[in-house]
Amino acid sequence: MGDVTIKVLLVDDHQVVRRGLRTFLEIQPDIAVVGEAGDGAEGVELAESLRPDVVLMDVKMPGTDGIEALRMLKERGNPAKVLVVTSFTEHRTVVPALKAGAAGYVYKDVDPEALAGAIRSVHAGHVLLQPELAEALLSEDGSTRAPQGRGGTLTEREQEVLGLIADGRSNREIARALTLSEKTVKTHVSNILMKLDLQDRTQAALWAVRNGIKS
């Protein structure tokens, strides 16, 4: 992993959960837990002051929940990647979380090593959208479906880039796959978001899944 240290903020209303997460994550050579919060509002404030790279955010919390905290972080322009923690029974909350700006989600019973891998993935710019639930989740929320023919406004290259975004590829990986510069990929991503009236690459991944665009 080199000398890169990923700074992580834990936001969960259960202290025992935070303690368990901290205990595991702190033995990872490239991950450092820089703070803990017991609710969404406190999490937003700590994200502003501590500037973590990744926020591990519970969804169901008293007071300010994870969805509202995500919206607040986005409104403030906080650059942290947010990895939402949910349970299978709460999967209906995943689409609102992704629309609010989450970079992905993991289940509460996730294997510890898989959790560390997910943190590394979102930090690297990946979108974590598990394929087995993507279509079921999207069928519950139609807001990411573009008007008829909207996808036709994308060039062939932009559709290739969009398909790779849906695969969870980072800009660097897309550049390597298509033999382009990262700067060119960033331009394509910006054009895709503008043409489809989407706010971020997470929404782009959702749009691509719903509209059958794959790499």
Side-chain angles (χ1 to χ4, degrees):
M1 296 297 170
D3 296 323
V4 176
T5 297
I6 305 170
K7 298 182 294 183
V8 176
L9 171 65
L10 306 177
V11 184
D12 193 294
D13 60 316
H14 293 100
Q15 184 177 7
V16 66
V17 172
R18 300 198 307 271
R19 185 176 300 162
L21 289 170
R22 176 184 280 274
T23 298
F24 169 72
L25 293 176
E26 286 188 337
I27 67 173
Q28 303 301 311
D30 58 333
I31 296 175
V33 177
V34 295
E36 300 179 21
D39 61 57
E42 183 184 8
V44 171
E45 294 305 315
L46 285 179
E48 289 291 288
S49 61
L50 298 175
R51 310 303 284 183
D53 300 305
V54 176
V55 178
L56 203 59
M57 180 87 71
D58 191 13
V59 176
K60 301 291 186 182
M61 293 181 286
T64 303
D65 65 14
I67 306 297
E68 182 59 30
L70 272 160
R71 294 190 183 109
M72 293 167 67
L73 286 172
K74 195 164 189 176
E75 287 172 1
R76 298 185 183 197
N78 192 292
K81 310 288 187 183
V82 178
L83 189 58
V84 164
V85 181
T86 185
S87 71
F88 185 80
T89 57
E90 297 168 344
H91 69 266
R92 289 175 182 270
T93 64
V94 174
V95 165
L98 292 170
K99 289 177 64 180
Y105 59 96
V106 292
Y107 291 127
K108 291 181 178 178
D109 60 354
V110 65
D111 177 84
E113 291 295 338
L115 174 62
I119 289 171
R120 294 180 184 113
S121 291
V122 297
H123 177 253
H126 297 270
V127 174
L128 293 185
L129 183 62
Q130 298 178 32
E132 70 274 14
L133 272 184
E135 193 57 45
L137 289 166
L138 289 166
S139 68
E140 297 171 3
D141 184 298
S143 62
T144 51
R145 184 188 294 277
Q148 186 68 28
R150 183 78 160 278
T153 65
L154 299 180
T155 66
E156 184 176 343
R157 178 64 86 189
E158 287 166 353
Q159 291 192 41
E160 288 179 321
V161 171
L162 181 56
L164 290 167
I165 290 174
D167 280 347
R169 306 284 192 93
S170 65
N171 284 352
R172 178 174 298 178
E173 290 171 331
I174 294 172
R176 188 179 303 123
L178 299 180
T179 319
L180 300 171
S181 69
E182 279 193 66
K183 183 176 180 181
T184 298
V185 171
K186 288 179 182 178
T187 299
H188 284 314
V189 173
S190 296
N191 289 339
I192 290 166
L193 297 181
M194 178 184 66
K195 288 181 178 182
L196 299 180
D197 193 24
L198 302 173
Q199 295 183 8
D200 52 43
R201 63 192 299 122
T202 304
Q203 287 191 5
L206 287 167
W207 190 96
V209 170
R210 172 170 287 285
N211 289 276
I213 295 181
K214 300 178 181 179
S215 64

